[in-house]
Amino acid sequence: MEKVRVDPDSLLDFATALFVQAGLSTEHAATIARVQLEADLRGMHSHGMRAVPTYLDRIRRGIINPRPKLTVTDLGIGVLVDGDAGPGQVVASRAMEECLLRARRQRVGLGFVRNSNHFGAAGYYAEMALAEDMIGFATTNGNLVLAPWGGITPTVGNNPIAIAVPAGEEPPILVDIAMSVVAGGKVDLIAAEGEALPEGWWLDAAGQPTRDLAAALTGLGIPLGAPVAGYKGFALAFAMEALAGALTGARFGREHTLEVENGPLPWNEGHFFLAIDPSLAMPLADFKSRVDQMIREVRSSQPIPGGAPIHAPGELGWRRREQALREGLTLPGSVVQGLQRWANELGITRKLGRAR
Amino acid sequence: MEKVRVDPDSLLDFATALFVQAGLSTEHAATIARVQLEADLRGMHSHGMRAVPTYLDRIRRGIINPRPKLTVTDLGIGVLVDGDAGPGQVVASRAMEECLLRARRQRVGLGFVRNSNHFGAAGYYAEMALAEDMIGFATTNGNLVLAPWGGITPTVGNNPIAIAVPAGEEPPILVDIAMSVVAGGKVDLIAAEGEALPEGWWLDAAGQPTRDLAAALTGLGIPLGAPVAGYKGFALAFAMEALAGALTGARFGREHTLEVENGPLPWNEGHFFLAIDPSLAMPLADFKSRVDQMIREVRSSQPIPGGAPIHAPGELGWRRREQALREGLTLPGSVVQGLQRWANELGITRKLGRAR
């Protein structure tokens, strides 16, 4: 489908208006829109505005509570947030703020979240730590995507690992990855765009590699390490399920389902956050300059002829973000279509501003 | 090579005697022997007694200091340990003890280690948390194994992620994995045993898959997620390098080398540890029973016909350990040969006890 270039500010306002129309407060609506926009700005369209129609639909179905009353319980060095089935972006942002507050006071902070929903890209919350010159960590559980290695029963979410590390002169490190070879959202995006599913991306429900989109959409992710050691990706996702699910008091494992829409209510997704102040271990400026050195070493690596472009983790997203803010954001056509369909349905007449 | 069944206690004493003869205190010698034995008991022979000859050689070369004076700096919620170039097992065990001490007091503890050496399997230190009913996390940097995705310049170690989570009636969760598809030690073990290198295990120095052992031994690991998304495994290893290397004050990135033996002195390896008391978030008994449920869900997964046996992370190692303690430990022949060669060289006449 043809790509569309839009103005990021206009897109933010447009998405905010959709959520306000769906019943959210302006503040909460803007929070969701901001989290999703940031993913698109980094080129992660699988985790950006693409999800807005899904969220609006979940509000309509009563899966996402548009007017949540968050309960924040102080645990000293940690905080427990009950999200009242609110939008994951709203609940998670609050939890990471509380986590960072504690890390400012005590050098370390933890955030446990229950009764939340899909929160967009985990990296957003890890990156919140950067404004405080801290190391941020975020994970979540969610709808089931991975089966144990050797098995085909969906058992854990495609639980991401997101780690942000502040740098000095270089763009910060951001790791933000699902535990399958590609995130499920990428398969959904391929489907929406009418493209062909690449080889090695997904399994069917019987655990066999497939390039059939219909089979993939009811299938399983391929865990990192496959085909030799797919137990590794599963093990990492399983450990994240223990942190974000078992430890937080949220639903976990097979208490969730393959699709959120067919799942139990409340959906009760869990998140886990951690912030560490690097100045606990050494002067901040020294740490940042050491991180700069790490990043420059990646960039100076000798390339494999014909290989993938070399970037430090997070670097490509950072450069894309700068470019999009300067020149406009290029979105997959299906994403813009999805937003406009919901605008029509909700009776919003404003237009999404195209970039100059 | 033919396997040899030995008595675990006798193996522990035998390895301890080797390190005492090499100049270590009995306590430090026993610590290394214990860490290595535990890996063998779990069937992780790549990370067990196989490494003892390497360590003895490094003591002789002056890479490992046999009589280290550790410096422990209290950082409140964390601790910084300078290992004085001592054996990694000794330094890391001390750091994790200090970390757990803090977690008992404050529910969270961090350990930063510099000036250490190879510490064996990361999982050992994560598992130390289990005795305190805590969640343990351990990582380290080390000799260079991974190049950035798309590149061939070795830039970070094969930095492991180890996470231990206490369970109730089930064996605890243990994730202990290198960020390449297989750990480098497995390639070394294949070489020592005179076996053939399986497909999909390792790359040559030009970044091409190889089944040639000589090429592999000077080559690169295959990062998790390859061939579609090898940037994922590299990104995780890179983040671990930031924690264990940049943050601790140890050498990091290309300040290390492909082989420790050709590296700078002091080698100055870094480790990072974290302990979290789950009772910060919920009653311990509830958490453990939720973890039991997670483990049972894995076990009850429907298998893929002809697929790998299904185990919860850490379960197989736990069962192997129980069996080995009961029936004796079966070691690769090359491991026993290596120990006996060093015993002869060091003038130790005691024999390694075979299991009944």
Side-chain angles (χ1 to χ4, degrees):
Chain A
M1 206 175 288
E2 209 174 325
K3 296 195 186 305
V4 182
R5 191 181 292 194
V6 301
D7 172 62
D9 288 334
S10 166
L11 178 59
L12 188 70
D13 293 344
F14 192 84
T16 302
L18 288 174
F19 286 114
V20 168
Q21 194 70 6
L24 272 72
S25 71
T26 306
E27 187 198 341
H28 286 181
T31 297
I32 309 180
R34 166 59 61 191
V35 174
Q36 301 309 115
L37 175 65
E38 286 292 335
D40 281 314
L41 290 174
R42 283 160 178 76
M44 265 176 90
H45 302 302
S46 56
H47 285 69
M49 292 291 177
R50 189 187 70 78
V52 168
T54 304
Y55 297 147
L56 291 167
D57 186 59
R58 287 183 190 165
I59 292 168
R60 180 172 286 179
R61 289 168 185 253
I63 298 169
I64 297 178
N65 175 4
R67 290 282 173 173
K69 293 198 194 332
L70 274 52
T71 309
V72 178
T73 309
D74 181 29
L75 306 171
I77 197 154
V79 64
L80 174 65
V81 178
D82 185 307
D84 191 26
Q89 292 82 349
V90 169
V91 184
S93 295
R94 176 66 190 276
M96 191 63 181
E97 278 165 20
E98 295 284 342
C99 180
L100 290 167
L101 192 71
R102 283 155 181 80
R104 272 201 299 275
R105 269 191 330 234
Q106 298 173 267
R107 307 296 188 86
V108 178
L110 287 122
F112 308 101
V113 175
R114 59 176 71 151
N115 208 358
S116 186
N117 276 290
H118 192 265
F119 70 9
Y124 182 90
Y125 312 101
E127 277 194 321
M128 284 174 66
L130 298 175
E132 308 279 343
D133 280 328
M134 288 187 194
I135 298 169
F137 175 89
T139 187
T140 183
N141 69 1
N143 61 304
L144 303 181
V145 175
L146 295 176
W149 189 233
I152 56 173
T153 309
T155 301
V156 296
N158 204 350
N159 308 337
I161 294 181
I163 305 173
V165 182
E169 297 165 6
E170 298 294 337
I173 297 174
L174 177 64
V175 177
D176 182 12
I177 57 178
M179 292 302 105
S180 65
V181 168
V182 300
K186 288 198 180 179
V187 176
D188 295 335
L189 183 56
I190 283 277
E193 290 287 303
E195 294 174 2
L197 187 62
E199 204 173 318
W201 272 37
W202 214 254
L203 305 173
D204 63 21
Q208 298 305 315
T210 187
R211 296 196 59 189
D212 181 80
L213 263 170
L217 291 173
T218 56
L220 295 159
I222 302 176
L224 293 180
V228 170
Y231 68 88
K232 292 195 173 190
F234 177 76
L236 289 172
F238 190 71
M240 296 306 110
E241 188 84 27
L243 294 175
L247 184 58
T248 59
R251 274 186 210 277
F252 62 98
R254 293 197 207 131
E255 294 175 357
H256 280 140
T257 47
L258 212 58
E259 294 202 340
V260 177
E261 286 71 14
N262 303 327
L265 289 182
W267 174 252
N268 191 1
E269 189 161 314
H271 319 312
F272 173 87
F273 304 104
L274 171 67
I276 299 173
D277 182 348
S279 71
L280 175 60
M282 69 166 61
L284 181 66
D286 292 358
F287 177 64
K288 285 181 160 188
S289 110
R290 289 161 71 88
V291 172
D292 280 349
Q293 181 179 328
M294 287 183 63
I295 292 166
R296 288 168 189 154
E297 285 183 355
V298 172
R299 204 177 295 135
S300 70
S301 171
Q302 191 184 333
I304 299 180
I310 299 173
H311 302 282
E315 187 178 11
L316 183 59
W318 197 262
R319 303 218 179 282
R320 282 180 175 150
R321 182 179 193 276
E322 287 183 336
Q323 189 184 0
L325 291 177
R326 215 167 43 230
E327 301 171 11
L329 171 63
T330 303
L331 284 180
S334 62
V335 171
V336 174
Q337 271 191 1
L339 294 174
Q340 283 176 333
R341 200 164 45 238
W342 270 90
N344 295 340
E345 192 159 334
L346 292 170
I348 290 178
T349 53
R350 74 191 296 166
K351 295 283 168 223
L352 183 55
R354 305 294 156 121
R356 294 127 297 164
Chain B
M1 206 176 287
E2 210 173 326
K3 296 194 184 308
V4 182
R5 189 181 293 194
V6 302
D7 172 63
D9 288 335
S10 166
L11 178 58
L12 187 71
D13 292 346
F14 191 83
T16 302
L18 288 175
F19 286 114
V20 168
Q21 194 71 7
L24 272 72
S25 72
T26 307
E27 187 198 341
H28 286 180
T31 297
I32 309 179
R34 166 59 64 190
V35 174
Q36 302 309 116
L37 175 65
E38 286 292 334
D40 280 314
L41 289 173
R42 282 160 179 75
M44 264 176 92
H45 302 303
S46 56
H47 285 68
M49 292 291 177
R50 188 188 70 77
V52 168
T54 303
Y55 296 147
L56 291 167
D57 186 58
R58 287 184 190 165
I59 292 168
R60 180 171 288 179
R61 289 168 185 253
I63 298 170
I64 296 177
N65 175 3
R67 290 281 173 175
K69 294 198 193 332
L70 275 52
T71 308
V72 178
T73 308
D74 181 29
L75 306 172
I77 198 154
V79 65
L80 173 66
V81 177
D82 185 308
D84 191 25
Q89 292 82 351
V90 169
V91 183
S93 295
R94 177 65 190 278
M96 191 62 181
E97 279 165 18
E98 295 283 343
C99 180
L100 291 167
L101 192 70
R102 282 155 182 81
R104 273 201 299 276
R105 269 190 330 233
Q106 298 173 268
R107 307 296 187 87
V108 178
L110 287 121
F112 308 101
V113 175
R114 59 176 71 151
N115 209 358
S116 186
N117 276 289
H118 192 264
F119 70 10
Y124 183 89
Y125 312 100
E127 278 194 320
M128 283 174 66
L130 298 175
E132 309 278 344
D133 280 327
M134 287 186 195
I135 298 168
F137 175 89
T139 188
T140 183
N141 69 1
N143 60 305
L144 302 181
V145 175
L146 295 176
W149 189 234
I152 55 172
T153 309
T155 301
V156 297
N158 204 349
N159 308 338
I161 293 182
I163 304 174
V165 181
E169 297 166 4
E170 299 294 337
I173 297 174
L174 177 64
V175 177
D176 182 11
I177 57 178
M179 291 304 104
S180 65
V181 169
V182 300
K186 288 197 179 182
V187 176
D188 295 335
L189 183 57
I190 284 278
E193 291 287 303
E195 295 173 3
L197 187 62
E199 206 174 314
W201 273 36
W202 214 253
L203 304 174
D204 63 20
Q208 300 304 316
T210 187
R211 297 195 59 188
D212 181 78
L213 263 169
L217 291 172
T218 56
L220 294 158
I222 301 176
L224 294 180
V228 171
Y231 68 88
K232 292 196 173 189
F234 177 77
L236 289 172
F238 190 71
M240 296 305 110
E241 189 84 28
L243 294 174
L247 183 58
T248 59
R251 273 186 211 276
F252 61 99
R254 292 197 208 132
E255 293 174 358
H256 280 139
T257 46
L258 212 59
E259 295 203 338
V260 177
E261 286 70 14
N262 303 327
L265 288 182
W267 173 252
N268 190 3
E269 189 161 313
H271 319 311
F272 173 87
F273 304 104
L274 171 67
I276 299 173
D277 182 349
S279 71
L280 175 60
M282 69 164 62
L284 180 66
D286 292 358
F287 177 64
K288 287 182 160 187
S289 109
R290 289 162 72 87
V291 172
D292 281 348
Q293 182 179 328
M294 287 184 63
I295 292 166
R296 287 168 189 153
E297 284 183 356
V298 173
R299 205 177 292 135
S300 70
S301 171
Q302 191 183 334
I304 299 180
I310 299 173
H311 303 282
E315 187 178 11
L316 183 59
W318 197 262
R319 304 215 180 285
R320 281 180 176 150
R321 182 180 192 276
E322 287 182 336
Q323 189 184 0
L325 291 177
R326 216 168 42 231
E327 300 171 11
L329 171 64
T330 303
L331 283 180
S334 63
V335 172
V336 175
Q337 272 190 0
L339 293 174
Q340 283 177 334
R341 200 166 44 239
W342 269 91
N344 295 340
E345 191 158 335
L346 292 170
I348 291 178
T349 52
R350 72 193 298 165
K351 293 286 168 221
L352 183 55
R354 306 293 157 123
R356 295 127 297 167

